[in-house]
Amino acid sequence: MSESHTPPSGSARLNTGVAHNARVWNYWIGGKDNYEVDQQVGEHVAGMFPIIRDIARADRDFLGRAVSFLAGERGVRQFLDIGTGLPTADNTHEIAQRLAPDSRIVYVDNDPIVLVHARTLLTGTHDGVTAYIDADVHDPDAILERAGHTLDLTRPVAVMMLGILNFVLDTDKARDIVRRVMAAVPSGSFLVLTHPTFDDELGGAGQIPAMKFWNENATPPITARSGADIATFFDGLELLEPGMVSCGQWRADAGSAVLVPQYGAVAVKP
């Protein structure tokens, strides 16, 4: 079953003349939902910072492991995926509903090309629900109000914020967004988060010039943060093992673990 809480005019906002993160990210992970301008900017960034494709793949693999863990081992049946990006293989709802067909998933994004594809691709199981809302991470109250049409916010929810807070340039604002969302979900809910870093120990120094180029040539603007700043997003929550680590190493098999300058963690609300 699928639902859509979106206006019909999303495609009117589509600008194919400027590279956009959702489409460039899609290009880096081998997708086809991108344009020449996205490919050009993506290639330039990859030339400056070759590990970027590894980051994109590691982030995607982290999503798979985190959703599988939460649905399979922690019994989570509700997911709020904020900043979902373009649908590819093994999206949140597919992983969760494969393990638990009655899972309910709400996707949130405000990129018009994501909106167009979400309507046609994000279909759920007969027992579960997959919904999409066109909303901005900067407006968490609107996200929560509309997500409440599909999710029961009195029961635990896994809040997915993968590679999205890096588009909230003010760190205090980003912290406030997390606090407001997590305050609206009950004890036993989870925060699943990834975020790029410039920390040297994860090889992140190259993020800085690459992001400067990005901000001058693409949209939306982006920022990396220190591990110390990223850790504050989990204030008041309890990190699950192995804590906040490179997302390519979080609960990864020894043979497939990769070190990338993108932190990943899962925490529970006590």
Side-chain angles (χ1 to χ4, degrees):
M1 178 179 177
S2 64
E3 299 177 353
S4 180
H5 304 298
T6 56
S9 57
S11 58
R13 305 196 312 261
L14 186 59
N15 181 353
T16 60
V18 178
H20 191 284
N21 176 75
R23 301 189 306 257
V24 177
W25 197 260
N26 176 264
Y27 174 66
W28 283 331
I29 62 174
K32 295 180 170 39
D33 296 313
N34 49 76
Y35 297 94
E36 185 176 356
V37 65
D38 305 307
Q39 298 162 18
Q40 290 172 347
V41 169
E43 283 299 322
H44 191 97
V45 172
M48 298 177 69
F49 192 50
I51 200 174
I52 190 63
R53 284 190 173 90
D54 295 328
I55 296 173
R57 286 190 290 267
D59 189 87
R60 192 72 190 177
D61 291 344
F62 168 87
L63 179 148
R65 295 194 302 275
V67 174
S68 295
F69 167 72
L70 291 174
E73 296 186 33
R74 301 302 290 260
V76 176
R77 297 296 179 263
Q78 300 192 109
F79 293 82
L80 177 58
D81 191 336
I82 302 175
T84 178
L86 282 162
T88 56
D90 273 347
N91 302 287
T92 298
H93 74 285
E94 293 169 321
I95 300 165
Q97 292 176 348
R98 197 156 51 228
L99 293 165
D102 60 335
S103 295
R104 304 174 76 85
I105 293 88
V106 172
Y107 290 103
V108 182
D109 211 301
N110 72 329
D111 176 31
I113 196 169
V114 177
L115 168 61
V116 170
H117 285 268
R119 285 175 168 161
T120 57
L121 297 181
L122 299 180
T123 55
T125 61
H126 177 74
D127 296 324
V129 175
T130 305
Y132 181 93
I133 58 178
D134 181 17
D136 193 312
V137 67
H138 291 86
D139 192 357
D141 293 339
I143 290 172
L144 291 163
E145 190 276 326
R146 295 165 72 185
H149 296 299
T150 301
L151 305 178
D152 179 355
L153 298 183
T154 68
R155 298 176 57 233
V157 177
V159 176
M160 316 282 293
M161 303 186 84
L162 274 62
I164 185 63
L165 292 177
N166 35 294
F167 298 108
V168 182
L169 302 186
D170 182 275
T171 300
D172 288 337
K173 175 68 173 174
R175 285 193 200 102
D176 183 61
I177 289 168
V178 176
R179 278 197 298 264
R180 287 160 71 183
V181 172
M182 295 309 295
V185 295
S187 173
S189 293
F190 295 87
L191 174 63
V192 184
L193 185 147
T194 62
H195 196 295
T197 184
F198 47 70
D199 285 358
D200 285 338
E201 56 263 40
L202 268 64
Q207 299 262 32
I208 298 172
M211 285 185 174
K212 182 176 185 294
F213 173 84
W214 174 270
N215 290 344
E216 293 169 349
N217 294 275
T219 190
I222 191 170
T223 188
R225 291 186 168 97
S226 68
D229 276 341
I230 297 167
T232 65
F233 298 140
F234 296 98
D235 286 351
L237 307 175
E238 297 175 359
L239 285 167
L240 304 184
E241 290 293 334
M244 196 179 83
V245 296
S246 172
C247 69
Q249 299 181 327
W250 190 88
R251 293 179 180 259
D253 294 335
S256 62
V258 293
L259 182 71
V260 294
Q262 178 114 326
Y263 282 110
V266 176
V268 64
K269 181 176 179 178

